[in-house]
Amino acid sequence: MDHRRTDIPALDLAPELAEVASDLEAALRRVIYLGVKHAIGVNSGTDALVLALRALGVGPSDEVITTPFTFFATAESISSVGALPVFVDIDIESFNIRPDLVERAISERTRAILPVHLFGAPADIAALGSIARRHKIALVEDAAQAFGALDQDRHVGTFGVFGAYSFFPSKNLGCLGDGGLLSTDDDDLAAHVRALRAHGARKKYFNEFVGYNSRLDALQAAFLRAKLPHVDEWNEARRKAASRYCVQLRGTPGILLPPERRGTQHVFHQFTIRVTGGRRDALREYLARRGIATMVYYPTPLHRLPVYAGAEARCPAAELASTEVLSLPLWPRITEDLQSRIVSEIREFCGAH
Ligand SMILES: *Cc1c(COP(=O)(O)O)cnc(C)c1O
């Protein structure tokens, strides 16, 4: 018997796999990361929301229930498909929408609930999901600030019929410009979204309806491919930094710390404290004078913006939050030294020394 190794195999898959290895890996990771059937790249987080609502057939004379305490794009997506955003109030501690108030706001025109996982904290998605099922309306999650956040070990954005993510540079997973993603397990809706993002054409030059030019461009996808393997570690670093803030700020008079709901994993897109007693702006100026930048997300709840002046909303918690919130510097590689300096200035201001 001749034991010479075979020079010419009958079939060699290695070269072709090598050629597309990084594409395959990215495709696998993209789907496996979130644990959904379809992860559809789009032009932005805003477009992800718009395309989700369009694919669901939400339009004029429909209502969508959402939070007034969020970035404008959440409500804007509802308005831009011609529907009416119905604002219901938030829980003052988590800053997220209150399921009990959502249920009360449902009318015969309600087509969807659009909660936001604000600042990276999972909204009460179990309660919202069961309301949506009970009333046979769609649940669309705005997970723009919460890529990687978990509820019972499952990614937020994968509970609703659609999850919308943003890859704007400042988000937890950011690209170089604009980018977004829609996740869904529904094959028909996924096909509809894929057509919507390419001018309403399933087949090139056979446009079936009016859509958008909303593809995720190749340069942004390449950036995301490089960053995706790191995002969990970066989120973990954010969580560690947040917990250092909590330990050091605990007990500071006039400062309330962001809670983490049991069974969830907050990814701290923002570390947002509440400053009570009407002293938020004073603390912000005090820190600014000492070279420490802070941000106010969001200074005006959406139902108080002139563009939504007609909306009949009673949202006292969102209004209170807008006067109390202050987001402290936080990024995955922020140092303990910087954090200690920030904390000691805050404690000084609050008379905690
Ligand atoms: C950033 C953001 C969006 C919009 O995402 P873009 O990619 O900037 O269009 C939508 N909703 C929330 C809550 C956001 O923070």
Side-chain angles (χ1 to χ4, degrees), residues 129-344:
S130 90
I131 293 168
R133 276 190 300 278
R134 207 153 357 104
H135 294 269
K136 297 189 169 53
I137 54 182
L139 179 66
V140 177
E141 300 175 69
D142 181 341
Q145 302 187 0
F147 194 93
L150 303 174
D151 190 330
Q152 313 293 340
D153 293 329
R154 186 164 149 194
H155 282 276
V156 304
T158 68
F159 292 83
V161 60
F162 278 118
Y165 304 83
S166 165
F167 301 131
F168 188 74
S170 62
K171 310 284 163 130
N172 287 31
L173 176 62
C175 55
L176 200 58
D178 280 303
L181 184 124
L182 259 184
S183 65
T184 186
D185 277 324
D186 187 303
D187 296 340
D188 294 335
L189 287 173
H192 196 162
V193 167
R194 287 196 173 96
L196 276 169
R197 77 171 167 181
H199 308 285
R202 260 174 259 263
K203 219 169 71 191
K204 217 169 186 182
Y205 307 125
F206 193 78
N207 307 70
E208 294 167 55
F209 42 82
V210 174
Y212 306 82
N213 175 359
S214 187
R215 289 158 297 223
L216 177 65
D217 77 74
L219 177 66
Q220 306 309 337
F223 256 76
L224 294 167
R225 186 182 294 174
K227 289 174 90 174
L228 183 58
H230 302 276
V231 72
D232 283 337
E233 193 270 321
W234 289 335
N235 280 341
E236 193 50 41
R238 285 174 184 272
R239 290 171 52 74
K240 283 219 177 72
S243 114
R244 283 199 294 269
Y245 269 140
C246 286
V247 167
Q248 295 180 30
L249 283 169
R250 189 152 292 135
T252 308
I255 301 295
L256 298 172
L257 300 169
E260 186 172 50
R261 197 156 48 81
R262 190 189 292 269
T264 68
Q265 211 172 119
H266 192 323
V267 289
F268 293 96
H269 174 60
Q270 299 295 337
F271 183 86
T272 304
I273 60 172
R274 285 166 57 208
V275 186
T276 60
R279 302 184 77 205
R280 191 268 315 274
D281 292 341
L283 172 57
R284 186 166 192 224
E285 269 164 42
Y286 181 92
L287 293 172
R289 277 200 302 276
R290 283 153 185 80
I292 298 167
T294 57
M295 296 298 284
V296 172
Y297 301 117
Y298 294 91
T300 310
L302 303 187
H303 66 291
R304 290 293 184 194
L305 290 174
V307 56
Y308 290 125
E312 284 169 41
R314 224 187 67 75
C315 302
E319 284 163 26
L320 177 64
S322 69
T323 67
E324 291 187 337
V325 285
L326 192 66
S327 296
L328 303 184
L330 186 138
W331 56 90
R333 299 293 177 251
I334 191 170
T335 64
E336 294 186 36
D337 278 357
L338 277 187
Q339 288 190 275
S340 300
R341 224 185 92 201
I342 295 160
V343 166
S344 99

Side-chain angles (χ1 to χ4, degrees), residues 44-47 49 70-71 73-74 116 118 142 144-145 166-168 171 178-179 298:
S44 67
T46 306
D47 276 11
L49 291 167
T70 176
F71 180 56
T74 310
V116 178
L118 198 73
D142 181 341
Q145 302 187 0
S166 165
F167 301 131
F168 188 74
K171 310 284 163 130
D178 280 303
Y298 294 91

